[in-house]
Amino acid sequence: MNESYSALGSWFEYLNKDCDYLSWSQYLIKRLNCLKRGAKGVDIGCGNGYFTRALNKAGYDVAGIDISPAMLSVAKTKAAEEGVRCEFLLGDITKLKLTGKVDFAVAINDCLNYVAKDKLKAAFSHVYSALSKGGIFLFDISSSYKLRNIIGENMFGEDGEDISYMWFNRQTEDGVIMDLTFFVKGKDGRYTRFDERHVQYAHEERDILSILSEVGFSEVSSCGHLGGEDKSERINFTAIR
């Protein structure tokens, strides 16, 4: 079983095409414009770099950070193709260290679900330390309800022209173990099989808010996806140092 996103990385944005990244990125940009704390930031768990590119295109100076070299490789290629000049760095949110302070940090699309409960405080503490006074931390999680009732113990799949996959999920006490098998079509028409395992942790909203306050964030709040009231599947958080 391969490391998470070691092979899937190049297909991540394609497989998430139904997430409406455009609306999601515009929501982030509007939030940052409204809060007006500064232009320098980091996109933690940037993946293929969609939000990193979108924020830079909107005038922000953002570097992308991810734990997966494969994801970062694709992110660099996509940024170059779109003419976006930005830095991409290998890094882990639970050990985050920057050379200077930033005005904001974002961690979008389940980044914190990959952090075990006993490492959440370390992750939030490192983000807090990276922010300048008044700095903003915007992030989201897939809700505990979503992981346990929609994802957990269920199977998903898609048969595409260039990639097909099967996604098996097993619920655990802490969250969900996700085993993925996918087949990628090569230039010669033959398919190559890849297998990956992902582990996501189910976090409760109240615990997230409590730990954010505990590490020092003075203003913490939550809302549903894209600022809505529905928190059943995804919860967005704002924390200000």
Side-chain angles (χ1 to χ4, degrees), residues 46-128:
C46 67
N48 287 171
Y50 183 93
F51 296 106
T52 315
R53 302 193 307 274
L55 288 167
N56 276 282
K57 289 176 182 178
Y60 289 96
D61 178 13
V62 183
I65 299 174
D66 203 276
I67 199 170
S68 167
M71 294 287 267
L72 290 173
S73 177
V74 177
K76 293 175 182 178
T77 298
K78 287 184 174 292
E81 290 174 347
E82 295 182 17
V84 178
R85 298 182 64 182
C86 55
E87 189 175 16
F88 289 99
L89 306 168
L90 185 67
D92 180 344
I93 190 173
T94 66
K95 304 173 184 177
L96 182 68
K97 289 185 179 180
L98 302 178
T99 55
K101 300 288 187 180
V102 293
D103 302 308
F104 67 89
V106 300
I108 308 303
N109 199 4
D110 297 351
C111 173
L112 271 299
N113 287 108
Y114 283 91
V115 178
K117 294 180 181 181
D118 61 356
K119 293 185 177 180
L120 276 178
K121 187 174 181 179
F124 292 155
S125 294
H126 279 86
V127 174
Y128 181 89

Side-chain angles (χ1 to χ4, degrees), residues 199-228:
V199 178
Q200 287 200 8
Y201 299 91
H203 302 308
E204 300 298 336
E205 178 184 4
R206 62 179 179 275
D207 294 334
I208 295 281
L209 294 171
S210 176
I211 298 172
L212 286 168
S213 296
E214 186 179 345
V215 302
F217 285 100
S218 60
E219 298 178 46
V220 296
S221 60
S222 61
C223 61
H225 188 46
L226 304 185

Side-chain angles (χ1 to χ4, degrees), residues 7-41:
L8 186 58
S10 60
W11 292 92
F12 185 75
E13 283 187 17
Y14 172 81
L15 294 174
N16 279 272
K17 59 184 180 295
D18 60 342
C19 289
D20 192 1
Y21 274 4
L22 178 59
S23 296
W24 207 340
S25 63
Q26 292 307 305
Y27 165 74
L28 288 175
I29 292 165
K30 288 178 182 178
R31 287 288 291 148
L32 290 171
N33 288 345
C34 179
L35 292 168
K36 296 179 180 178
R37 289 302 197 281
K40 188 174 181 60

